[in-house]
Amino acid sequence: MADAASRLRSLAERMLGAPLPVRIRAWDGSQAGPPGAPTLVIRNRRALRRMLFKPGELGMARAWVAGDLDIEGDLYTALRAMAGSVWERGEDARTLTQALRDPEVRAAGRELLRLVGPPIPPAPPREEVRRRRHLHTRRSDSRAISHHYDVGNDFYELVLGPSMVYSCAYWEDGGSLESAQRDKLELVCRKLGLTPEQRLLDVGCGWGSMAIHAAREHGVRVVGITLSQEQAAYARKRVADEGLTDRVEIRVQDYRDVVDGPYDAISSIGMAEHVGAERYLDYASDLYGLLRPGGRLLNHQIARRPQRDESTYEVDRFIDAYVFPDGELAPIGTTVTQLERAGFEVRDVESLREHYARTLRRWVTNLEDDWGRAVRLTSPGRARVWRLYMAASALAFERNRIGVNQVLAIRTPDPGTSGLPLRTRTWNT
């Protein structure tokens, strides 16, 4: 009988209808596949059972998080190869249902069943979030935010570095991650046109970096809101250490509960992805209502490519189960439309797609360089989640599967005076 790796390679290629672009090393030590290619390490039969009982991305994710599945060699090369042959094969690729109509594929499936051993579905890793019935209520949003952001401030310090900014940096060649994050915060402030004594609302304030920068460098008064208790405690300490408690207030508060407007400006950086399509118009309307006439909103948000049939859109199952529960991405055109429906005048849209790819690669490097400590601060499974999602996301930005955009919008007064200069892109100089 053939060794496990050769059997698995043959089965995978019959089911995919294409050559497998990576090597396989199985639990019996056998190897098969293209020489020199990254190696997919299948540590035990349990990995196969996970993929058998949850075919597709979620089964592979469970095996990865549990440590039943690993990659040797360059992670980006392996993910790029598998994305092209497994996850991004285009609309003409066979669906699972179509593949199962093929007698050869069904035979391969029966052989796989014989190979995996006892057909008992393994329990999901403890890092997986169970599906929720009610999305984007105040309670469910609070739980989702806590799952992602209350991993531990020490862990985020390790990954993000001293800037503690968890969003796309703004790069120049040769710059450090810290300088690129500082430049991003300054770019947001310039787009908002901040001047001393103005009021700024920072929605989804994270660990306080934007609030501190705006208060210290531009003299504004800031209210920062987050649903994460750990973020709020960390941000308050930073504010106190900077001597800015008279200018910066950090609240644990839902954006829907903010009632102390009007504000002169609002920044929403990497937060709107958590709002959800059904609630997005409400989100935009709430922010519009909190601005004074002439006030500006800077919405910094990840976007996906539009689909031919938008009704078929589904959230990424790995991201939903392990990273951002209930998170949803929308095309940039949809976001602009919703902001305009809420009453905003959209004045500028800037794509920072390549900047985010570079940022994510730096975060992955930070994580890998201090892997042992990252595992101690969280868990082996959680550290593996972050490594996979950040590396895969970097490739998704590079391959134009997703993007990130800064949208500048204004609550333009009835006379139509925007308050912007005739040439607005001076903030990039």
Side-chain angles (χ1 to χ4, degrees):
M1 181 178 290
D3 57 55
S6 296
R7 292 171 68 189
L8 288 171
R9 178 193 178 193
S10 175
L11 288 169
E13 292 182 345
R14 284 158 64 186
M15 297 183 80
L16 289 172
L20 195 65
V22 296
R23 285 183 66 78
I24 291 177
R25 188 169 79 237
W27 57 89
D28 62 353
S30 61
Q31 298 191 49
T39 300
L40 189 66
V41 181
I42 302 175
R43 299 193 185 281
N44 48 55
R45 287 182 170 88
R46 186 172 55 249
L48 301 181
R49 289 198 289 272
R50 292 188 186 280
M51 291 184 277
L52 184 65
F53 283 98
K54 282 291 181 183
E57 184 175 337
L58 186 57
M60 293 190 72
R62 286 178 173 177
W64 170 271
V65 175
D68 301 327
L69 190 70
D70 207 347
I71 290 173
E72 288 186 358
D74 184 72
L75 178 61
Y76 296 103
T77 301
L79 291 176
R80 190 181 296 111
M82 289 192 291
S85 64
V86 179
W87 296 308
E88 297 175 359
R89 299 178 64 204
E91 296 183 5
D92 295 330
R94 292 187 301 180
T95 65
L96 180 61
T97 301
Q98 291 170 332
L100 290 175
R101 296 192 186 118
D102 187 330
E104 186 175 353
V105 172
R106 290 200 302 272
R110 288 191 294 270
E111 185 177 345
L112 181 61
L113 280 170
R114 290 192 293 270
L115 186 62
V116 301
I120 303 172
R126 63 185 178 88
E127 290 83 3
E128 183 170 316
V129 175
R130 293 183 179 181
R131 292 296 303 163
R132 281 81 39 205
R133 291 183 179 181
H134 305 291
L135 301 183
H136 303 299
T137 64
R138 284 169 173 79
R139 184 177 182 182
S140 68
D141 282 353
S142 180
R143 287 179 175 176
I145 294 298
S146 179
H147 171 84
H148 187 80
Y149 294 103
D150 291 344
V151 174
N153 293 328
D154 291 342
F155 176 79
Y156 275 105
E157 283 183 341
L158 183 154
V159 174
L160 304 180
S163 68
M164 287 300 282
V165 179
Y166 192 24
S167 56
C168 171
Y170 192 59
W171 292 92
E172 291 185 7
D173 289 338
S176 67
L177 175 60
E178 288 69 43
S179 65
Q181 291 292 14
R182 183 177 60 249
D183 288 348
K184 190 275 297 300
L185 297 177
E186 182 59 21
L187 177 66
V188 172
C189 291
R190 291 201 301 269
K191 287 183 176 182
L192 289 173
L194 298 180
T195 58
E197 302 307 319
Q198 285 188 328
R199 296 187 74 210
L200 168 68
L201 176 64
D202 186 26
V203 181
C205 66
W207 293 271
S209 299
M210 174 62 191
I212 290 169
H213 182 90
R216 184 182 59 215
E217 304 299 328
H218 296 269
V220 298
R221 299 187 180 277
V222 189
V223 171
I225 61 172
T226 175
L227 294 178
S228 167
Q229 296 284 352
E230 288 197 23
Q231 282 187 335
Y234 189 99
R236 287 166 184 155
K237 185 180 184 304
R238 291 181 72 193
V239 169
D241 290 346
E242 290 279 348
L244 293 170
T245 53
D246 61 330
R247 290 196 166 271
V248 179
E249 177 188 1
I250 303 295
R251 304 174 185 168
V252 177
Q253 188 175 35
D254 192 290
Y255 71 91
R256 289 164 283 200
D257 297 327
V258 178
V259 294
D260 60 343
Y263 288 88
D264 299 287
I266 298 176
S267 54
S268 179
I269 305 173
M271 178 271 173
E273 298 89 341
H274 298 285
V275 171
E278 292 185 3
R279 301 275 185 182
Y280 202 92
L281 181 57
D282 294 335
Y283 155 81
S285 299
D286 286 346
L287 299 191
Y288 183 86
L290 287 168
L291 278 173
R292 65 165 176 81
R296 302 183 191 181
L297 165 69
L298 193 286
N299 189 71
H300 178 118
Q301 181 178 340
I302 298 172
R304 62 175 171 85
R305 301 289 296 174
Q307 298 185 356
R308 292 179 185 175
D309 180 1
E310 280 293 312
S311 67
T312 64
Y313 167 69
E314 295 182 355
V315 297
D316 183 284
R317 299 189 71 185
F318 166 62
I319 296 295
D320 188 51
Y322 288 99
V323 186
F324 293 106
D326 304 343
E328 296 178 53
L329 301 183
I332 179 60
T334 301
T335 296
V336 168
T337 296
Q338 294 290 64
L339 291 171
E340 290 182 330
R341 289 182 63 195
F344 282 105
E345 179 189 6
V346 173
R347 294 300 302 255
D348 187 78
V349 178
E350 182 175 6
S351 172
L352 302 180
R353 177 171 64 82
E354 292 87 353
H355 293 263
Y356 216 157
R358 188 168 179 178
T359 304
L360 284 154
R361 282 181 175 264
R362 290 294 182 93
W363 290 343
V364 172
T365 297
N366 288 347
L367 177 64
E368 293 176 339
D369 285 350
D370 209 351
W371 181 257
R373 182 165 176 261
V375 169
R376 291 192 299 272
L377 289 172
T378 53
S379 69
R382 181 65 61 197
R384 290 171 67 83
V385 166
W386 254 245
R387 182 175 179 235
L388 178 61
Y389 114 75
M390 291 192 300
S393 295
L395 291 177
F397 281 106
E398 290 169 358
R399 294 164 66 91
N400 192 27
R401 303 299 178 183
I402 54 176
V404 62
N405 304 279
Q406 289 190 349
V407 180
L408 178 65
I410 299 178
R411 179 173 175 169
T412 305
D414 288 338
T417 305
S418 70
L420 286 173
L422 291 178
R423 296 186 178 184
T424 56
R425 283 295 177 93
T426 56
W427 49 62
N428 285 322
T429 60

